[in-house]
Amino acid sequence: MMSADMNAVDAENQVELEEKTRLINQVLELQHTLEDLSARVDAVKEENLKLKSENQVLGQYIENLMSASSVFQTTDTKSKRK
């Protein structure tokens, strides 16, 4: 009977060890996924800052073009009607 008890304990220990190993591997995989997502977020933030800067430059350029063009100048409707 002692041998059967020992085998049962060994089998239980083996199941626990396998479960711990599975959980550790799962945690490591989740850590890698988190690292990848964090790196992606950083890259997107950087790209967003670049695009904001480009949009500001383009906005200023368009504003300058509009102010230099007579088409976009404000008109005085009263003087034209006289």
Side-chain angles (χ1 to χ4, degrees):
M1 199 55 150
M2 290 281 251
S3 177
D5 289 341
M6 293 293 276
N7 286 339
V9 169
D10 286 344
E12 190 176 312
N13 286 341
Q14 182 65 28
V15 168
E16 276 187 37
L17 183 61
E18 287 173 1
E19 180 66 11
K20 284 180 183 178
T21 301
R22 187 186 68 76
L23 289 173
I24 289 170
N25 287 335
Q26 193 174 23
V27 166
L28 290 173
E29 184 178 333
L30 290 171
Q31 282 179 334
H32 292 303
T33 301
L34 181 59
E35 288 172 359
D36 292 344
L37 289 172
S38 181
R40 176 73 177 130
V41 166
D42 290 342
V44 168
K45 281 182 180 178
E46 187 176 318
E47 182 68 18
N48 186 34
L49 287 175
K50 271 200 262 181
L51 291 173
K52 275 185 178 180
S53 176
E54 288 176 13
N55 282 344
Q56 286 177 338
V57 170
L58 287 172
Q60 187 63 48
Y61 176 72
I62 290 169
E63 192 176 305
N64 290 343
L65 284 176
M66 289 174 63
S67 66
S69 172
S70 61
V71 174
F72 296 104
Q73 297 299 315
T74 58
T75 58
D76 186 1
T77 55
K78 290 182 181 177
S79 66
K80 286 186 176 181
R81 289 187 180 165
K82 288 185 180 178

